[in-house]
Amino acid sequence: MTSARGIALAVDLGGTKVEAALVTQDGHVLSDTRHRAPTGRTRSREGTARAVETVVTRALEAAPGVEVVGVGVGSAGPLSISTGTVSPLNLPAWRTYPLATLIRDITGLQPTVRLDGTCIVLAEHWVGALQNYRTALGMVVSTGVGGGLLVDGRIVRGRTGNAGHIGQIQLATRTSPGLDYSVTLEGIAAGPQIVTWARTQGWAGTSGEDLADAYKAGNAVAILAVQRCAKAIAEGISSVGALLDLEAVAIGGGFSKVSQDLFSFIRQNLGEIAPLSTMGDIRVVPSALSGDGPLIGAAGLVHRSDLIV
Amino acid sequence: MTSARGIALAVDLGGTKVEAALVTQDGHVLSDTRHRAPTGRTRSREGTARAVETVVTRALEAAPGVEVVGVGVGSAGPLSISTGTVSPLNLPAWRTYPLATLIRDITGLQPTVRLDGTCIVLAEHWVGALQNYRTALGMVVSTGVGGGLLVDGRIVRGRTGNAGHIGQIQLATRTSPGLDYSVTLEGIAAGPQIVTWARTQGWAGTSGEDLADAYKAGNAVAILAVQRCAKAIAEGISSVGALLDLEAVAIGGGFSKVSQDLFSFIRQNLGEIAPLSTMGDIRVVPSALSGDGPLIGAAGLVHRSDLIV
């Protein structure tokens, strides 16, 4: 299944964990090379650096003799591509941290560092649900809402490398007066927000998993909650679809699995609100990669460098 | 000022008029070659075609002996780039009209046809207010709100060629219940919408020009109306800025001239609502080309073909 040629080292740095693995030219994660370590809000600057070093070293040691042709790194944002520094919101000890330099010192190779949302849409376009599209949105609905963009056949970078923040666009579905977090897609549709909303409606559960079970059991509030999430996502897709003339949207992330019906609800809402005739057939599909997207996409920074700028 | 080499024929087709002119390699419109003819909702299919033929023929005849190196056409949307057909909303007799074929039959050259909003952002990037930026939004605030996008150094095309519809993104500033035109940027900030809103607040004027005069005279409702327009535009820029990691926005169109203060209000609102630290210094500036943008941009489809896909 794999060849000794063309192996990339992929690193995915997030707010709760860092992962590293070797990935083949066809986007296959070599599972025996995959290692993870916790990160988190309370880790020191050096502690997080050691976590990165640990998983990178173990991934490389798991396949001695393999020639690594390049290193791709996806990171929680914000970051700066031009300096190779990252300042992940949930890793407060890392502010303008020189992640590119750290990786280079460990591996001896200059890595390509991009936003995790960038890696996700790259992975979906390379080997996932967005193959054969040229203008598409990759989206994650989890504890937050994020994503990345493919426009006219290239992954969008933006000024600093932070393009793709679909969670921070505004929606008409406001939940409270005032112009704040409560009017953004993330502020309405992220898992914890939907759970909180359901509780204000009298539902007693406490997690996305609870909500999935309640939906399956036919609980009326759980149904409204999933529909609320779908409506907000559809509004966000509507705006991005009008702006970019999208072909397709792939949605992953833990909360996107709350029910398969989420996707029918999104499609139905989008059909009702799409403001342009050219938006009639935007395809909305589940991610084909799930939790592997970020790692595969980090490897894609190496194997599909033709897609990035 | 001009050379005989490198002249493009530029055509701008809109809902009220069609214009054609010859444009130099440095983006200078040869004014003695510029011709216009009315279009409009009541024109027949053939009548509009004759209007196009008239202005194109006159522009070419105005400079005999000049070698035209290419033809660029900007059109009101929607359109389809792949077929070269256009269906301008305000020209109901033209549905899926083969504009590329018409122009080729008149000129003997295969034209490049793109959305008018695409031409506007191309012109601003080429010789206007968006030079030296790589990720930016060109925006028109007039009887409608439209625009075009520059992303990572290229003008965005989208699936069918209809990318750039900033007027159709949703805002949190809803004016009435329900999810309809009243929640889009165009539905709130377009000139006629702001005039209508001011009248609901007791103001007696009937046009954008009236509103500009009233603002200058210190009329309280006119001031609120301009601020309302600015807030809606800032909300739109906020969403697009988060999504694309924008560097700059250039705004033109008749209603953008209602007052110079419009721009200070937009910047102030954007500073207050921008949801990401990376958005702190998005530049918001007036168009540097005004009414010449669409024609210059149509010529840019020829002279700066490196910017389009």
Side-chain angles (χ1 to χ4, degrees):
Chain A
M1 194 165 209
T2 78
S3 80
R5 295 177 304 107
I7 297 291
L9 172 66
V11 182
D12 173 43
L13 175 67
T16 58
K17 67 180 193 304
V18 56
E19 282 196 286
L22 301 181
V23 180
T24 67
Q25 281 180 317
D26 56 2
H28 179 67
V29 178
L30 301 179
S31 60
D32 50 344
T33 69
R34 188 169 183 168
H35 290 271
R36 69 172 61 180
T39 55
R41 298 191 69 83
T42 58
R43 278 244 171 178
S44 70
R45 189 174 164 93
E46 292 68 31
T48 302
R50 277 199 306 275
V52 172
E53 185 169 5
T54 299
V55 296
V56 166
T57 305
R58 287 188 183 157
L60 291 172
E61 288 175 352
V66 163
E67 187 196 357
V68 171
V69 296
V71 183
V73 182
S75 174
L79 53 66
S80 166
I81 288 181
S82 59
T83 61
T85 58
V86 303
S87 309
L89 287 180
N90 294 317
L91 299 177
W94 272 27
R95 284 296 169 269
T96 323
Y97 186 89
L99 179 58
T101 302
L102 174 69
I103 299 282
R104 192 192 60 204
D105 290 349
I106 301 168
T107 64
L109 295 168
Q110 183 67 35
T112 301
V113 180
R114 290 291 187 277
L115 207 62
D116 46 9
T118 299
C119 294
I120 286 166
V121 71
L122 173 46
E124 295 289 350
H125 180 54
W126 179 23
V127 291
L130 297 176
Q131 294 178 58
N132 304 317
Y133 295 112
R134 289 181 54 81
T135 300
L137 167 64
M139 197 167 159
V140 174
V141 182
S142 178
T143 52
V145 174
L149 289 161
L150 174 77
V151 169
D152 295 334
R154 288 194 321 199
I155 305 296
V156 176
R157 165 189 174 127
R159 172 176 52 158
T160 55
N162 290 290
H165 277 84
I166 172 87
Q168 276 62 48
I169 72 169
Q170 294 187 21
L171 303 186
T173 308
R174 64 164 66 182
T175 54
S176 66
L179 193 59
D180 55 21
Y181 183 68
S182 69
V183 301
T184 64
L185 176 52
E186 180 168 285
I188 297 169
Q193 304 301 319
I194 292 291
V195 166
T196 298
W197 180 85
R199 290 176 59 85
T200 67
Q201 306 299 307
W203 179 69
T206 59
S207 70
E209 290 74 16
D210 291 348
L211 199 68
D213 292 341
Y215 183 90
K216 199 172 283 180
N219 178 282
V221 171
I223 293 170
L224 288 174
V226 171
Q227 290 174 337
R228 177 183 176 82
C229 180
K231 184 179 178 204
I233 292 172
E235 288 190 24
I237 293 173
S238 177
S239 287
V240 180
L243 190 70
L244 296 177
D245 195 7
L246 285 179
E247 291 174 286
V249 181
I251 308 177
F255 198 74
S256 74
K257 299 180 183 68
V258 66
S259 165
Q260 286 193 333
D261 293 347
L262 179 71
F263 285 82
S264 340
F265 291 144
I266 294 170
R267 293 184 196 109
Q268 185 185 333
N269 274 280
L270 184 60
E272 289 166 7
I273 65 179
L276 300 169
S277 60
T278 49
M279 294 169 60
D281 49 357
I282 296 175
R283 286 182 56 88
V284 180
V285 296
S287 159
L289 303 170
S290 188
D292 288 346
L295 263 188
I296 293 173
L301 298 172
V302 174
H303 292 312
R304 294 302 310 272
S305 60
D306 57 304
L307 294 174
I308 63 172
V309 286
Chain B
M1 194 166 210
T2 77
S3 81
R5 295 179 305 107
I7 297 290
L9 172 67
V11 182
D12 174 42
L13 174 69
T16 59
K17 67 178 193 303
V18 56
E19 283 197 285
L22 301 181
V23 180
T24 67
Q25 281 180 317
D26 56 2
H28 178 67
V29 178
L30 300 179
S31 58
D32 50 344
T33 69
R34 186 169 183 168
H35 290 272
R36 70 171 62 179
T39 54
R41 298 190 68 82
T42 59
R43 279 243 170 180
S44 69
R45 189 174 165 95
E46 291 69 29
T48 301
R50 278 199 305 275
V52 172
E53 184 168 6
T54 299
V55 297
V56 166
T57 306
R58 287 187 183 158
L60 291 172
E61 288 174 352
V66 162
E67 187 197 357
V68 171
V69 297
V71 184
V73 182
S75 174
L79 53 66
S80 165
I81 288 181
S82 59
T83 61
T85 58
V86 304
S87 310
L89 286 181
N90 294 317
L91 299 178
W94 272 27
R95 286 295 169 269
T96 323
Y97 186 89
L99 180 57
T101 302
L102 174 69
I103 299 281
R104 192 193 62 204
D105 289 348
I106 301 168
T107 65
L109 295 169
Q110 184 66 35
T112 301
V113 181
R114 290 291 186 277
L115 208 63
D116 46 8
T118 299
C119 293
I120 285 166
V121 72
L122 173 47
E124 296 289 350
H125 181 54
W126 179 23
V127 291
L130 297 176
Q131 294 177 57
N132 305 317
Y133 294 111
R134 289 181 53 81
T135 300
L137 167 66
M139 196 168 159
V140 174
V141 182
S142 180
T143 51
V145 174
L149 290 161
L150 174 77
V151 168
D152 295 334
R154 287 195 322 199
I155 305 296
V156 175
R157 165 189 174 126
R159 171 177 51 159
T160 55
N162 290 291
H165 277 84
I166 171 89
Q168 276 61 48
I169 70 168
Q170 295 187 22
L171 303 185
T173 309
R174 64 163 67 179
T175 56
S176 65
L179 193 59
D180 56 21
Y181 184 67
S182 69
V183 301
T184 65
L185 176 52
E186 180 168 286
I188 298 169
Q193 304 301 319
I194 292 292
V195 166
T196 298
W197 179 85
R199 290 176 59 83
T200 67
Q201 307 298 306
W203 180 68
T206 58
S207 71
E209 291 74 17
D210 291 349
L211 199 68
D213 292 342
Y215 183 90
K216 200 173 283 178
N219 177 282
V221 172
I223 293 170
L224 289 174
V226 171
Q227 291 174 335
R228 177 184 175 81
C229 180
K231 184 180 177 203
I233 293 172
E235 288 189 25
I237 293 173
S238 177
S239 286
V240 180
L243 190 68
L244 296 176
D245 195 8
L246 285 179
E247 289 174 287
V249 182
I251 307 177
F255 198 75
S256 74
K257 299 178 184 68
V258 67
S259 165
Q260 286 193 333
D261 293 347
L262 179 70
F263 285 82
S264 340
F265 291 143
I266 293 170
R267 293 183 195 108
Q268 186 185 332
N269 273 280
L270 184 59
E272 289 167 6
I273 65 180
L276 300 169
S277 61
T278 49
M279 294 169 60
D281 49 357
I282 296 176
R283 286 182 55 88
V284 180
V285 296
S287 160
L289 303 170
S290 189
D292 288 345
L295 262 187
I296 294 173
L301 298 173
V302 175
H303 291 313
R304 295 302 310 274
S305 60
D306 57 305
L307 294 174
I308 61 173
V309 285

